[in-house]
Amino acid sequence: MSGKKQFVELLRRRKAEQENLPEEVAKRKREWLLDLAALMCSIDGWLSALKKKRLLDYEASTSTVSEENLGDYEVPTLKIVAPGGKTVSITPAGTYVVHALGRVDVVSGPHRETIARFGPGDWHVVKPDPEGKSWMSRPLDEDEFFRLLTDILE
């Protein structure tokens, strides 16, 4: 079989897999994407006044996530630009993560914070405890989001 035929066959198999996703997996993906949209909408609301005051800028975009059971799909992302050009990227990582139903990475240079989804609409900022032996979790709200941004930009 030629390289092109092999590639076309691979594409057909992947397409068939996507069309035949079990309902539970499809539901997980739908809920994840709805929650991501709601999260990004909340963040937009929290940041909009600061953008109007020209204290920061931000831009929504999308990126592709690839997960074995869910295939490739588009997720919303956000890039925040602080004074001095320092950026913060908010990027969903996927739904199949340990101890959660989804993870969103918040990254600025070498600094990384994690927002985890524990259930529909149930977002938490997750960090290692000071001793590094376990994890601490705090519900995500506007104040917690700004604490996260302060931590990552300091």
Side-chain angles (χ1 to χ4, degrees):
M1 185 180 307
S2 74
K4 182 176 180 180
K5 286 182 181 180
Q6 284 179 320
F7 182 66
V8 169
E9 182 58 33
L10 172 67
L11 292 177
R12 285 187 179 135
R13 279 196 320 269
R14 293 267 168 94
K15 183 178 179 185
E17 289 170 3
Q18 289 298 302
E19 291 170 350
N20 297 318
L21 276 177
E23 182 54 35
E24 184 176 317
V25 173
K27 180 181 175 192
R28 180 183 184 128
K29 183 177 179 180
R30 273 193 312 275
E31 288 177 352
W32 167 241
L33 291 173
L34 287 171
D35 270 2
L36 284 175
L39 173 65
M40 294 300 184
C41 185
S42 293
I43 292 171
D44 177 67
W46 299 335
L47 295 175
S48 63
L50 298 174
K51 185 174 184 172
K52 286 178 186 170
K53 293 178 183 178
R54 302 180 80 154
L55 291 172
L56 57 74
D57 195 14
Y58 60 94
E59 180 179 300
S61 188
T62 61
S63 68
T64 301
V65 171
S66 181
E67 294 190 84
E68 187 171 328
N69 292 336
L70 300 179
D72 295 345
Y73 59 95
E74 294 293 310
V75 294
T77 64
L78 196 65
K79 180 180 175 183
I80 301 168
V81 181
K86 193 161 187 178
T87 63
V88 177
S89 297
I90 302 175
T91 308
T95 63
Y96 289 95
V97 296
V98 178
H99 302 297
L101 297 175
R103 186 184 90 221
V104 175
D105 295 330
V106 183
V107 179
S108 180
H111 305 288
R112 176 180 302 271
E113 298 287 341
T114 300
I115 300 173
R117 177 178 172 259
F118 293 121
D122 187 17
W123 295 99
H124 289 246
V125 175
V126 180
K127 297 181 177 202
D129 74 4
E131 297 173 5
K133 295 181 180 178
S134 64
W135 290 86
M136 301 183 319
S137 169
R138 293 187 306 271
L140 181 67
D141 59 16
E142 184 176 9
D143 285 338
E144 195 59 41
F145 179 72
F146 284 119
R147 279 188 200 98
L148 179 150
L149 287 181
T150 300
D151 289 348
I152 206 165
L153 287 172
E154 280 191 323

